[in-house]
Structure formats: structure tokens, C-alpha cells
Amino acid sequence: MRRISVCIIKQSHFPTNAVVPQLALGTWLIDDDKVADAVRAAIKIGYRHIDTAQAYGNERGVGEGIRTCGIPREQIFVTTKVAAEHKTYESTAASIEESLQKMGLDYIDMMIIHSPQPWKEVNQSDDRYFEGNLEAWRALTDAYKSGKLRAIGVSNFLKEDIGNMLENAEIKPMVNQVLCHISNTPLALIEYCQSRGIVMEAYSPVAHGEALKNVKIREMASKYGVSVPQLCIRYDLQLNMITLPKTANPEHMAANADIDFEISDADMDVLKNIEHIRDYGEHGFFPVFGGKL
């Protein structure tokens, strides 16, 4: 087995001089009463970046795992997200305080707006909530200035949403976290953001498990002597994206971090052009996968 390389992966530097490990543990759909164990296991393996969200309902457990892992707080990078429904300064500011309290932390390394639209309007409305997102961003900016947050960003923002922030916000977003995996790679958005100094993050790098069913992806993984998840994670990393594979299984955490290989430029081009995923199976109802609530 290749050596675990979590701690030596290239890192991205924010304007604040905060440093964020490029490989993170995602915690979506891990229950609050189980996530502390997952966080402790990941940190023991070598992970130093943990990603959660208000909407996940597990901030308390994530905070417990961070506080009890035995590693100094300053060595762990913690990300959470403002619930998509918060589109006013007041509600966003209150939610920041609530996240700090639930997690039991003095500061959060990064906090991002979870979606430009409330989830019940995603894929159903043309309203991009430009003004509401600027108000939520203003609350994040104030918390950032006060030291409660070390970095701030957005998630699921399209080019027009990013443009609104760049034109009207005092501080530009430091990251944009988006769905990105082999068979669904928003290359134009990635280039647009990266060319403007916005770090890109990739969630669901294994397509919520659907990549395992793709014959061409399996064949490419076999060529490199790695698993499909390892190939998928390496792919996003080579796009210079912070990558957030989700698992509560320590064995999978270790395998996901065992990615000390490189995909050739030619094979990266092949993977970028694999036929677009048709659906996400039983998980397709989630708005991030094109569904509707």
C-alpha cells in the first residue's frame, strides 16, 4: 500500500495567510452522534481539514471530535457553512454565533454560504438572491474582521453569483465549493474562479458513489493500480481543488488519503471528457445533484 500522503499534499494559501490542507474529510450525512468518532479517526490517520455545515445537523459532534482528538486546535482547519436559507445580515450573524456555540470553538477557520438560493428554490427558480447573498456576505465579512472566522467563501455559486460578489462585496470570496467529479466537471467555472484568485473546492468527488458504476472510470483506475475513489480524488486534486471525500469508515479514510500517484496529462484530458453522468440514482433528488425538494 502506498504511504498516506494527507499531510504532505500541496496546500492552498488564502489572502489571510491561513493555510488549508488540500484533502479534507467531508461529513455530509454522518449523524451527529457518530461524527465525533469519524473526526477523531480521520485526525489520527493524518487528516487536518474537516468540513461540515449547519444544514448537516452535526456541528456539535464535529466540534466534539476536534476538541477531543488530542491534536492542538491550531493544527486543524475546520470549515462550516451558513444554511442556504439565511439571506439577511441578522439571521446570518446569529447563525455564525450558533455554530461557534454548538461546536464549542473560539473561532472557525472558514465559513461559507452554502448555496446562492434556498434549497427549496434550487433548480426551480431564476431568482439568484443577489441582494440576500450580499447581506449574508456582509455578516461573514464582519465576523472575519472580528477574528471569529479565519477565512470566508461560498458554495454552489455560478459565474453570475461570483460576479455579483466581485462587483459589490468589500472582500472577494476566498473559495467556491462546488460539485466536481469525473463525468461532471465544471471546467469553465473552475477556470473563471481560479483566474480571479478564488480557490476551488470539490465535494462528492466520487459522485456520491455513482462513479463506481462507470466502466471507463473503472478501467482507468485499473490502469493506475488504484481504486475508483482514489482515482477520483486524485483527479480533483490535480485540478488544483481542495477535495472533500466523505466517509465515516476509517479504512476508507486511509485509502482515500493513499493517493501518492499522478495521473498523466493525457489521461486527465480523457477523464475531463468522459460522458456526463446521466443521474445519481437514489440520491438524485438532492438539489446539488439536479433534483428538487
Side-chain angles (χ1 to χ4, degrees):
M1 187 171 99
R2 294 179 176 87
R3 62 188 172 85
I4 294 174
S5 54
V6 172
C7 296
I8 62 171
I9 289 171
K10 175 184 173 184
Q11 298 185 333
S12 302
H13 296 261
F14 292 151
T16 55
N17 293 321
V19 178
V20 50
Q22 198 174 359
L23 184 67
L25 176 73
T27 63
W28 183 32
L29 300 179
I30 302 179
D31 292 341
D32 189 57
D33 62 349
K34 297 180 176 64
V35 75
D37 287 338
V39 169
R40 285 188 289 261
I43 291 172
K44 183 177 181 180
I45 289 167
Y47 286 77
R48 293 296 181 267
H49 184 175
I50 310 296
D51 180 274
T52 183
Q54 293 172 355
Y56 298 173
N58 62 12
E59 286 181 314
R60 185 213 61 80
V62 168
E64 176 190 332
I66 291 164
R67 296 192 314 273
T68 61
C69 70
I71 297 295
R73 169 68 183 91
E74 62 271 16
Q75 294 182 19
I76 303 171
F77 193 94
V78 185
T79 297
T80 192
K81 308 175 191 72
V82 173
E85 292 69 31
H86 292 305
K87 299 302 178 192
T88 67
Y89 180 95
E90 292 76 14
S91 67
T92 302
S95 79
I96 294 170
E97 296 299 329
E98 185 176 355
S99 288
L100 284 163
Q101 183 178 22
K102 281 185 177 180
M103 300 181 81
L105 302 178
D106 296 328
Y107 66 91
I108 293 169
D109 295 277
M110 183 163 67
M111 199 159 192
I112 60 184
I113 298 174
H114 207 160
S115 168
Q117 299 172 294
W119 290 122
K120 289 186 177 180
E121 295 191 35
V122 174
N123 304 319
Q124 301 183 66
S125 170
D126 293 328
D127 186 352
R128 302 305 298 181
Y129 285 81
F130 288 151
E131 291 303 319
N133 286 316
L134 288 173
E135 283 298 290
W137 188 251
R138 190 163 61 88
L140 286 173
T141 298
D142 284 350
Y144 164 70
K145 287 180 176 180
S146 72
K148 295 174 182 177
L149 311 175
R150 298 292 176 88
I152 51 179
V154 296
S155 181
N156 299 299
F157 273 47
L158 303 180
K159 182 177 178 180
E160 61 189 311
D161 306 309
I162 294 291
N164 175 50
M165 308 297 285
L166 295 178
E167 291 174 12
N168 299 297
E170 177 185 356
I171 298 173
K172 73 179 180 182
M174 298 171 192
V175 304
N176 186 15
Q177 185 181 122
V178 300
L179 175 68
C180 179
H181 58 77
I182 301 168
S183 76
N184 190 355
T185 307
L187 291 171
L189 178 61
I190 292 169
E191 181 180 359
Y192 174 80
C193 289
Q194 290 179 340
S195 69
R196 286 156 179 78
I198 299 171
V199 176
M200 293 298 289
E201 296 190 344
Y203 65 78
S204 296
V206 194
H208 215 62
E210 292 299 311
L212 298 166
K213 304 174 184 178
N214 187 298
V215 174
K216 292 183 178 179
I217 297 175
R218 293 204 306 266
E219 289 175 349
M220 186 69 78
S222 179
K223 174 181 177 179
Y224 283 90
V226 298
S227 69
V228 167
Q230 287 169 326
L231 180 79
C232 291
I233 293 164
R234 186 71 208 180
Y235 170 81
D236 278 343
L237 292 174
Q238 287 187 213
L239 293 174
N240 293 318
M241 302 182 75
I242 295 167
T243 306
L244 304 97
K246 185 277 283 187
T247 181
N249 185 318
E251 291 185 4
H252 293 170
M253 292 175 194
N256 289 345
D258 184 17
I259 46 176
D260 190 23
F261 69 100
E262 186 170 351
I263 304 169
S264 71
D265 291 343
D267 286 340
M268 283 294 291
D269 286 338
V270 170
L271 294 173
K272 288 176 185 177
N273 291 286
I274 281 182
E275 182 181 0
H276 193 279
I277 189 170
R278 295 183 179 181
D279 66 71
Y280 290 85
E282 63 179 310
H283 308 292
F285 71 92
F286 285 114
V288 293
F289 298 138
K292 301 177 182 179
L293 293 182

